[in-house]
Amino acid sequence: MTISRSICLGFLAVILVGALLLTMPFATTTGTWGNFLVALFTSTSAVCVTGLSVVDPNTYFSFWGELILVLLVQVGGLGYMTVTTFLMLLIGRKFDLQQKFAIQESFDRPFLQGSRNLIKSIFATTLLFELTGAFFLTYKFSQDHPLQESLWLGLFHSVSAFNNAGFSLFKDSLMGYHDSIIINFVITGLIIFGGIGYQVIIECYFWLEGLRLRSKQKFSFSLNFKVVVKFTLFLLFLGTIAFLLIESQNPETLGPMGWQDKLLAAWFQSVTTRTAGFNTVDNGKLEINSLLITMILMFVGASPSGTGGGIKTTTLSILTNCTRSVLRGQETIVIYKRTIPNTLVFKAIAVTFGSLVTVIIATSLITFIEQKINSSLEAVPILFEVVSAFGTVGLSMGITASLTPLSQLVIIATMYIGRVGVILLMAAIVGDPKPSMLHHPEENLLVG
């Protein structure tokens, strides 16, 4: 079995096991067998760290159902191969060359050395962030809920935020805490660090460690670090300003708020569109320009080796620099004085094109299905839902539960494709690509 196929089938297996567990009587509040489609949708959304849901998790699922849900989120955020490898390390087994290649594929690493230490550092980093976030969230929730309930709320939302899942145990997500500084900054901090990628976090750690030890050797950040941090900060700033300007006079979102709350809500909305799924304002009441910006940010998503989805910030960087090189008449793409290989350029174009095709097909299918059965649904909410599903974001304009079963199956497939990636899925279907030694003659083609 090929590496790409084993990863894709691994995610499918986890989704199906999760769906079966969520249908069990002990997983529902009624104590009866649950609806399988609801369980399948929820399991897919959890493993694909999306957050879309056709039911209210807090009222539909029991404590055990919520526990299964958060465990699926954790497995989905870390990745099937990461969790499997870590379990092998715990029982003392060594993993073979094929599993090392699978780790390389999962994290887009150019080398195999240090795979064991990589897995350990990923789990340690995850544990550190999630427990720290749970501590602060529990403190805030304890002001409104009993301590035992607050502990569970804090842990659940911390895991959900760091893994960019967006599942909440509150019916209105975090709208009731739109003015809380602790909730806003803890949740957004977890989202950012979870989505920025483990490599960036580890490089930050070594840089800070060098400063603490006053090392004389200058620390050199990787190209990946520079690109990811630059584009992440740029998109966060751009989103915050855009939402603040567009929604500040909207009486149904930021309009009634004071300036501090407006800044908090605009910042939160900018961060959560980066594949998180929590919300402190009603997405169904946003202005059309805000919806467009939200969809663009959801489509871009997070960064490689992080817990988020989308085409990734590095892909956007390559595409923008490719355009700049064309406008300047240059034949190579240079970022921070480093030439980008053509293979990466081709991959970035393929990822973007494949993602656009997936979104278009899914939107067209759902629009066709809903027009035949539920003509009240408009195109914009459907497109918003599809982009959210593909980017594994979880934001919705409130139509998820009203979608027909066929449309829900399309959303399930879209979430899965968005999580495993278009290129990896195609490689799993047709087989891993093999280099060709055949070279054909060149000929010009009119473009543009």
Side-chain angles (χ1 to χ4, degrees):
M1 184 182 293
T2 62
I3 296 167
S4 54
R5 196 166 296 167
S6 65
I7 294 174
C8 291
L9 290 177
F11 272 106
L12 273 179
V14 175
I15 289 171
L16 291 175
V17 170
L20 290 173
L21 290 174
L22 290 174
T23 58
M24 297 289 183
F26 64 79
T28 63
T29 52
T30 58
T32 58
W33 288 90
N35 182 287
F36 182 73
L37 182 58
V38 170
L40 180 63
F41 192 101
T42 307
S43 179
T44 305
S45 185
V47 175
C48 298
V49 289
T50 306
L52 289 173
S53 182
V54 292
V55 294
D56 176 16
N58 191 39
T59 57
Y60 186 87
F61 295 110
S62 65
F63 168 77
W64 298 108
E66 292 172 3
L67 180 61
I68 293 168
L69 184 61
V70 81
L71 289 175
L72 291 173
V73 166
Q74 190 72 83
V75 172
L78 289 170
Y80 156 74
M81 281 307 306
T82 307
V83 175
T84 303
T85 308
F86 183 72
L87 292 176
M88 290 177 64
L89 291 175
L90 284 181
I91 61 177
R93 282 186 58 188
K94 295 182 179 180
F95 43 98
D96 56 26
L97 187 61
Q98 184 178 3
Q99 287 163 327
K100 290 183 178 181
F101 275 117
I103 296 168
Q104 179 191 22
E105 185 73 29
S106 298
F107 291 96
D108 202 16
R109 287 164 57 87
F111 48 85
L112 298 177
Q113 293 85 354
S115 296
R116 182 186 297 266
N117 291 332
L118 171 68
I119 298 299
K120 290 180 179 178
S121 64
I122 287 172
F123 267 83
T125 302
T126 301
L127 194 63
L128 174 65
F129 275 96
E130 289 179 354
L131 289 179
T132 303
F135 173 81
F136 287 105
L137 292 176
T138 299
Y139 167 75
K140 179 59 183 177
F141 291 142
S142 64
Q143 298 174 7
D144 305 311
H145 304 275
L147 181 59
Q148 185 176 354
E149 184 181 356
S150 299
L151 285 168
W152 176 237
L153 287 172
L155 180 62
F156 186 97
H157 286 85
S158 181
V159 173
S160 183
F162 185 74
N163 289 285
N164 282 213
F167 277 104
S168 176
L169 296 180
F170 301 112
K171 193 170 185 179
D172 60 352
S173 189
L174 297 175
M175 290 175 62
Y177 292 93
H178 72 272
D179 57 348
S180 170
I181 293 177
I182 293 177
I183 296 294
N184 274 271
F185 282 102
V186 171
I187 293 291
T188 55
L190 289 168
I191 292 169
I192 292 170
F193 281 105
I196 206 168
Y198 294 105
Q199 182 178 336
V200 172
I201 296 174
I202 291 170
E203 282 193 51
C204 271
Y205 168 77
F206 284 125
W207 174 63
L208 292 172
E209 188 69 10
L211 292 178
R212 187 181 69 84
L213 298 175
R214 296 181 181 179
S215 175
K216 295 181 180 180
Q217 186 177 0
K218 185 179 179 181
F219 186 84
S220 179
F221 289 109
S222 67
L223 178 62
N224 179 76
F225 180 95
K226 295 174 183 177
V227 170
V228 166
V229 171
K230 174 186 174 181
F231 270 81
T232 297
L233 292 176
F234 171 73
L235 292 174
L236 290 175
F237 175 78
L238 182 68
T240 303
I241 297 301
F243 287 126
L244 188 63
L245 292 176
I246 297 170
E247 296 294 328
S248 60
Q249 300 303 318
N250 187 341
E252 296 183 289
T253 55
L254 306 190
M257 301 180 187
W259 274 105
Q260 177 178 299
D261 292 346
K262 285 182 179 180
L263 280 171
L264 284 175
W267 161 253
F268 193 96
Q269 186 70 13
S270 179
V271 174
T272 197
T273 56
R274 310 298 307 290
T275 82
F278 292 104
N279 61 285
T280 55
V281 296
D282 188 348
N283 291 295
K285 304 295 177 60
L286 292 174
E287 300 284 357
I288 188 66
N289 291 332
S290 294
L291 292 174
L292 178 61
I293 292 171
T294 299
M295 285 188 279
I296 292 172
L297 292 175
M298 289 194 299
F299 187 75
V300 173
S303 301
S305 78
T307 56
I311 64 171
K312 304 295 191 292
T313 52
T314 48
T315 302
L316 178 63
S317 174
I318 290 174
L319 293 177
T320 53
N321 281 279
C322 180
T323 305
R324 186 180 65 176
S325 296
V326 170
L327 294 175
R328 291 181 175 181
Q330 299 172 342
E331 295 185 355
T332 57
I333 300 174
V334 179
I335 304 177
Y336 288 107
K337 298 181 180 180
R338 296 290 186 272
T339 301
I340 305 301
N342 286 335
T343 52
L344 287 184
V345 180
F346 296 152
K347 185 177 181 180
I349 295 171
V351 166
T352 307
F353 179 76
S355 301
L356 285 171
V357 169
T358 303
V359 169
I360 291 170
I361 292 175
T363 304
S364 301
L365 282 173
I366 295 176
T367 303
F368 175 78
I369 295 168
E370 295 301 319
Q371 283 180 347
K372 294 292 182 181
I373 303 173
N374 185 8
S375 58
S376 62
L377 283 181
E378 298 179 354
V380 173
I382 293 174
L383 177 61
F384 190 95
E385 196 86 4
V386 170
V387 175
S388 178
F390 178 79
T392 68
V393 182
L395 294 177
S396 175
M397 294 179 65
I399 69 168
T400 313
S402 63
L403 291 175
T404 59
L406 277 177
S407 296
Q408 290 178 16
L409 289 174
V410 175
I411 292 293
I412 287 172
T414 306
M415 289 189 290
Y416 176 74
I417 295 171
R419 179 64 183 96
V420 300
V422 176
I423 302 299
L424 191 67
L425 182 61
M426 290 305 298
I429 295 171
V430 301
D432 290 328
K434 297 178 181 179
S436 174
M437 301 300 293
L438 183 64
H439 294 279
H440 297 279
E442 287 186 2
E443 183 173 347
N444 286 331
L445 181 69
L446 295 178
V447 177

